[in-house]
Amino acid sequence: MDLTIRPRRLRGSESIRRLCRETRMSPDSLIYPIFVDETLTGKRPIPSLAGQYHYGLDCVNEAVEECLAHGVGRCILFGIPREKDPVGSSAWAEHGVIQEAVRAIKAAHPDFYVITDVCLCEYTDHGHCGVLRGCDVDNDATLELIARTALSHAQAGADMVAPSDMMDGRVAAIRARLDANGLSHVPILSYAAKYASAFYGPFRAAAGSAPSCGDRKGYQMDPHNRKEALKECALDVEEGADLLMVKPALPYLDIIREVAGAFRLPLCAYQVSGEYAMIQSAAAAGLIDEHRVMCESAVSIFRAGANMLITYYARELADAMKKGEIG
């Protein structure tokens, strides 16, 4: 057959396939979630997230060292406090679980990059992300507490703060508070397009943050909406966000693509607990090749436009990249 154009010419060997790849990835683009439990000594498995652990403050650096051994130099911290109350006051306590975890990590590994999740849901006794009025979150009353929490994380040594509460105006409140306290160099990674998703179940079990009444649909985004994500991102850019996030990742690849095309800020995606658990469960049932699906799902997220990825597979993906299996 007389064919001038044969796309298969560029697929004939691994060498040329790697040469012509449109999507490039590296371990530098991976962020590993670490759960720190103030009540714990040592570590214990997380039942809802196979292969993941809660770490006590005495051994949080074990998680860091495991990351470094795989070539992952960045984490995002989630805290489980000893005490909870209606306003989540442990979230901004000077010696709270995240504040002490940051100090412990920075004392042992000063160059390891620490991002902190800024929210109240793990610290309130009702599991919502802010101050309740009845069963509704009071947006404006919550802003002060979110800003106070972000400031306490940065003062403890966090390299970046990541507000996940989805309150209107939170980025501006945090930026103003950080700048007023000599921390204008600390960047804000905004959970800008965070959907009210069913994919968060394993995380809520791990973090003890399921709401005791109602749900989070009043402040997290409706999964039916696409244009609203661009609106949320634009507002956060105006308020001073340095990076944007779309969460979850795989069910929202179209949103990642749109946000990547519309804004010039670095874009993070979060491959959330339900995405991880589905791959794990299907692999355990013998239905899929876990390693290949892990790699392919990550490639899809970066191909859609993400510059970085928070994932429970960060260490395994870094190994795959170093072996040339992806990236």
Side-chain angles (χ1 to χ4, degrees):
M1 186 176 290
D2 184 15
L3 292 177
T4 301
I5 300 172
R6 292 181 178 267
R8 287 184 59 185
R9 294 189 190 110
L10 302 183
R11 305 173 193 153
S13 69
E14 177 66 11
S15 181
I16 197 167
R17 288 192 295 270
R18 290 182 61 79
L19 178 67
C20 296
R21 278 182 179 165
E22 300 172 24
T23 302
R24 303 285 181 175
M25 303 155 59
S26 91
D28 287 336
S29 60
L30 300 173
I31 301 164
Y32 183 64
I34 298 176
F35 294 86
V36 189
D37 188 334
E38 191 175 19
T39 69
L40 181 63
T41 298
K43 69 178 186 179
R44 65 166 178 260
I46 299 176
S48 62
L49 289 169
Q52 307 302 311
Y53 293 86
H54 288 117
Y55 293 89
L57 286 166
D58 62 320
C59 72
V60 66
N61 277 306
E62 180 179 330
V64 171
E65 286 150 15
E66 288 175 1
C67 285
L68 291 170
H70 290 272
V72 176
R74 296 153 189 84
C75 78
I76 183 165
L77 292 179
F78 298 94
I80 297 97
R82 187 180 305 278
E83 297 178 359
K84 301 187 179 190
D85 62 34
V87 297
S89 60
S90 293
W92 62 85
E94 182 179 355
H95 297 288
V97 59
I98 289 298
Q99 292 81 354
E100 290 301 305
V102 171
R103 293 184 185 105
I105 292 170
K106 286 299 183 179
H109 303 282
D111 294 329
F112 189 78
Y113 200 88
V114 178
I115 305 166
T116 59
D117 178 80
V118 177
C119 195
L120 302 181
C121 61
E122 293 134 84
Y123 303 88
T124 56
D125 56 12
H126 46 74
H128 276 285
C129 300
V131 179
L132 286 187
R133 297 290 180 262
C135 203
D136 292 326
V137 174
D138 185 325
N139 188 96
D140 294 3
T142 298
L143 293 182
E144 163 63 23
L145 307 185
I146 292 295
R148 192 183 301 180
T149 300
L151 176 62
S152 72
H153 291 182
Q155 289 176 330
D159 296 293
M160 180 186 293
V161 293
S164 62
D165 56 290
M166 286 300 286
M167 297 299 115
D168 296 340
R170 72 204 191 284
V171 172
I174 292 170
R175 185 74 274 159
R177 186 64 59 90
L178 293 176
D179 290 359
N181 285 272
L183 292 163
S184 60
H185 62 284
V186 175
I188 298 172
L189 164 59
S190 173
Y191 287 67
K194 180 179 179 180
Y195 284 85
S197 172
F199 284 84
Y200 303 148
F203 174 93
R204 289 181 181 170
S209 61
S212 61
C213 67
D215 54 40
R216 297 191 174 121
K217 294 178 181 178
Y219 43 103
Q220 295 179 359
M221 288 181 55
D222 185 337
H224 297 78
N225 293 352
R226 176 181 58 84
K227 291 184 287 185
E228 186 185 14
L230 299 179
K231 175 183 178 181
E232 287 280 7
C233 289
L235 288 169
D236 286 357
V237 170
E238 290 175 10
E239 291 179 17
D242 300 285
L243 309 90
L244 301 172
M245 187 195 299
V246 173
K247 179 185 179 184
L250 282 176
Y252 297 90
L253 293 177
D254 60 323
I255 306 302
I256 294 173
R257 178 69 267 159
E258 294 237 21
V259 172
F263 301 96
R264 296 184 179 181
L265 297 187
L267 177 59
C268 181
Y270 194 150
Q271 187 180 45
V272 300
S273 60
E275 298 172 65
Y276 171 82
M278 286 197 305
I279 296 173
Q280 288 259 318
S281 298
L287 300 175
I288 61 170
D289 180 324
E290 181 181 4
H291 184 80
R292 289 185 62 193
V293 171
M294 170 194 76
C295 292
E296 187 176 341
S297 64
V299 169
S300 75
I301 296 164
F302 282 95
R303 189 182 65 241
N307 305 112
M308 62 200 76
L309 178 63
I310 301 172
T311 174
Y312 302 94
Y313 278 124
R315 298 169 300 184
E316 293 85 351
L317 284 169
D319 290 342
M321 291 174 189
K322 287 185 286 185
K323 293 176 183 175
E325 295 168 337
I326 55 171

